[in-house]
Amino acid sequence: MTVMTHAMLKGSNVPLDTAAVRAVLRWTPGSGVPDVDASALLLGPSGRVRSDEDFVFYNQPRHPSGLVRRLPKKRDSKGLTDTVEADLGSLDPSVDRVVIAASSDGGTFRSVSDLRILLYDATAGPDAEALALFSVTAETGEETAVICGELYRRGDGWKFRAVGQGYPTGLVGLATDFGISVDEDAQGAQDAAQEAAQAASNAQSTQDGSQEAQGGFREVPGGQGSPGEAQEATAATVASPGAGDPDLDLTVAHTPVPVPPQPTAPPPMPDRAPAYGYPQPANAAPAPAYGYPQPVTAPEQNPAPEFRMPPMGPQFVRP
């Protein structure tokens, strides 16, 4: 009997005639296309996992029961595939749903082309037709994880529903919504790495903006000048060997501009003559010889014409 493939729309469902299924994610690889990983979550009646072991993904590719497992990726003529197999008929009755999800690594699903999920009968041969096909499209373009479809109990059988619900928080955000306990240390390290990358990007942008604001010039490093040179002003002169060269690196050189000399104040005069034997001030009169009386400076004048020198000899003897 020929099996017809059901092309499904978002929200539609289809009953399954088999309890062993193989869900295949297929997409077209290419430059700038992120890698896609398939995963599965086994949910109880509450809509949450019973334990962290109910999460089957690339770091835990097999459920402890062995009834749900993730197969290695393959490349075929139509693209890349990542596959999850499930033996629904042998699952514990406490498992009410099996969610089939996809996550992107290195970008959002906006860049993923021709993403689709195909459901096969796992007991059929490799050339069997798919039971159902659902093309998954990004709703906002910012999704990094998406629920492609879910297998759920209905009476004694199972059905498949096309979902197409996206998550911008990646596989971690999706798993957390279903009750998976995320390692806070690992998540903190991932957040710290993202913050560090963002800070480095912001610092590089700030540096590039500063260089653009300065017109691409750079200052030639120099040594520390003398105190006299520190009082000189500097003027920037641009050496422009040519114009129109985008790789031209213009250098700013500094040419000193002389400053007029400042008047020098005379040294203060001492309150009294320095002690004998010490150097005399440059503008002081020469000191008299040692032991002689200091000369008395009298106003300079001419003697009167009638002035006569007294006779020599004792002047206090009466005649």
Side-chain angles (χ1 to χ4, degrees):
M1 183 178 67
T2 303
V3 177
M4 297 287 294
T5 299
H6 293 270
M8 305 183 66
L9 299 177
K10 183 176 181 178
S12 63
N13 61 76
V14 60
L16 301 178
D17 295 332
T18 178
V21 296
R22 183 169 65 252
V24 179
L25 291 180
R26 176 179 280 121
W27 68 97
T28 302
S31 176
V33 177
D35 194 19
V36 177
D37 295 297
S39 58
L41 296 105
L42 285 66
L43 309 181
S46 64
R48 297 170 68 87
V49 296
R50 301 165 302 171
S51 69
D52 289 349
E53 293 179 340
D54 286 341
F55 186 25
V56 177
F57 66 117
Y58 48 81
N59 280 342
Q60 187 171 273
R62 188 181 184 90
H63 190 263
S65 65
L67 300 176
V68 180
R69 59 176 182 157
R70 179 175 178 266
L71 303 182
K73 290 182 181 180
K74 293 182 179 180
R75 181 186 294 270
D76 58 21
S77 60
K78 298 180 181 179
L80 283 174
T81 63
D82 202 5
T83 303
V84 173
E85 282 189 347
D87 185 359
L88 303 175
S90 302
L91 285 176
D92 191 275
S94 62
V95 178
D96 188 63
R97 284 188 292 161
V98 177
V99 171
I100 308 298
S103 58
S104 61
D105 182 17
T108 65
F109 277 102
R110 184 196 304 274
S111 304
V112 180
S113 302
D114 302 325
L115 178 65
R116 67 196 74 176
I117 180 171
L118 300 101
L119 202 65
Y120 293 88
D121 183 351
T123 62
D127 297 330
E129 292 289 332
L131 302 176
L133 181 151
F134 172 51
S135 295
V136 183
T137 58
E139 294 180 337
T140 66
E142 301 302 321
E143 296 90 346
T144 50
V146 60
I147 298 177
C148 299
E150 62 180 11
L151 304 158
Y152 62 98
R153 292 183 185 271
R154 186 58 77 228
D156 293 335
W158 289 79
K159 284 188 172 184
F160 175 74
R161 177 184 292 119
V163 180
Q165 178 183 351
Y167 287 77
T169 51
L171 189 60
V172 172
L174 184 150
T176 303
D177 276 359
F178 288 104
I180 296 295
S181 300
V182 178
D183 187 353
E184 295 182 358
D185 293 338
Q187 181 64 21
Q190 180 180 359
D191 294 342
Q194 293 176 352
E195 292 177 1
Q198 184 65 29
S201 177
N202 293 340
Q204 182 64 33
S205 299
T206 303
Q207 181 179 2
D208 294 343
S210 175
Q211 291 178 352
E212 290 178 1
Q214 296 176 2
F217 296 112
R218 60 181 177 85
E219 184 176 351
V220 178
Q224 183 179 2
S226 63
E229 294 174 349
Q231 297 178 358
E232 296 179 351
T234 59
T237 59
V238 179
S240 179
D245 186 359
D247 297 329
L248 182 63
D249 185 13
L250 301 182
T251 304
V252 175
H254 293 285
T255 303
V257 177
V259 177
Q262 302 296 324
T264 304
M269 295 294 295
D271 295 337
R272 55 187 177 180
Y276 176 77
Y278 282 83
Q280 302 297 320
N283 57 350
Y290 177 76
Y292 285 84
Q294 304 293 328
V296 178
T297 304
E300 188 176 355
Q301 61 181 5
N302 296 325
E306 64 278 5
F307 177 77
R308 296 289 186 271
M309 292 294 293
M312 301 300 292
Q315 302 179 24
F316 302 102
V317 178
R318 294 181 181 275

